[in-house]
Each structure stands twice: as structure tokens, then as C-alpha cells.
Amino acid sequence: MTTRLVTMDGNDTLVAAAQEMRDSAIGDVVVTDGDNVVGIITDRDITVRGVAESLDPNTTRLNQLTTKDVITVSQYDDAVSAADLMRTYAVRRLPVVEDGRLIGLVSMGDLAVEREPQSVLADISADDPNN
């Protein structure tokens, strides 16, 4: 689980999210409304669901692109349960919540490092970013 999270408000723009991702060397931000997790926006979402659809990244808000039904896990859920949820819902990241409060994010890469440390995905996920 990653605990160094970047969150943004759903009213922030795609440009602001892209700049935050660049500055933080990350590929996603958790979108919140107050303390509530309302979605995750990825660099791919910005490209495929925003720019490729000719949405203006300076005026398009994150809440226009985030999926409304966020699948979450508890810090007490095991890696197998998280992997099953990812497979079932075709997601690559799951917010980790405790008492409704965001405490982390688990990704496919995190699971690979945990469950298959010798895999290529685990090697890539464990390395420092190259951007």
C-alpha cells in the first residue's frame, strides 16, 4: 500500500491534475469531495477520456471524468481480496479507507511486489520512477 497520496478536489481541472502528477512523479491522484473519496484520475484518463475527446483541459473538471462508484478496500483486507476486486471490477488501483477516511492506495504493482516479487511487474514497480 502506498501512503504518500496526492488528493485533489473534484472541481480542480485536468491541467492542475496533470501538473500535480508531473511535479510529484506519479500517474494518478485520488479525487475527493471533502473527506470522501469520489474517484481516481490517472494520466491515461486525462489523455483518453479528456484530451482525445477534445475536452478543454483548462476548463474540464476532474469530477467530469471520474467514475462515480469507487471500489475501496480496508487496510485489513489481504492481497488476494484486493486482487479479486481489481479483477472483478477491471481496476488497477484501490483506495484504502478506514472509517471512511482515505489512508492509502493499493495498486497492481503493490500486489506484484507482495505476491510475486520475482515478476517483471514487481521489478518495474519497485524501481524509482524514470521520469
Side-chain angles (χ1 to χ4, degrees):
M1 172 175 78
T2 301
T3 57
R4 195 190 72 134
L5 301 172
V6 174
T7 63
M8 296 184 78
D9 186 84
N11 290 314
D12 288 328
T13 64
L14 299 185
V15 167
Q19 291 169 339
E20 186 64 47
M21 289 178 201
R22 177 200 61 206
D23 295 347
S24 300
I26 57 175
D28 59 81
V29 296
V30 178
V31 182
T32 58
D33 180 9
D35 288 336
N36 298 322
V37 175
V38 295
I40 298 173
I41 193 94
T42 67
D43 47 6
R44 185 175 192 282
D45 292 331
I46 292 171
T47 302
V48 174
R49 297 169 69 189
V51 176
E53 294 296 327
S54 299
L55 299 177
D56 182 350
N58 290 300
T59 59
T60 302
R61 305 292 173 200
L62 299 180
N63 58 16
Q64 291 175 251
L65 296 185
T66 57
T67 303
K68 301 303 178 205
D69 297 321
V70 181
I71 308 304
T72 63
V73 293
S74 157
Q75 66 178 334
Y76 304 108
D77 289 328
D78 62 19
V80 172
S81 297
D84 286 344
L85 284 171
M86 287 179 181
R87 184 179 307 107
T88 300
Y89 293 98
V91 295
R92 298 174 183 209
R93 297 165 183 87
L94 295 169
V96 180
V97 295
E98 179 180 351
D99 297 325
R101 189 176 55 86
L102 179 67
I103 61 168
L105 187 75
V106 64
S107 69
M108 284 180 30
D110 295 331
L111 295 179
V113 169
E114 172 74 22
R115 305 275 301 158
E116 298 179 23
Q118 302 305 316
S119 71
V120 173
L121 180 57
D123 283 345
I124 293 168
S125 299
D127 273 350
D128 290 332
N130 65 356
N131 53 353

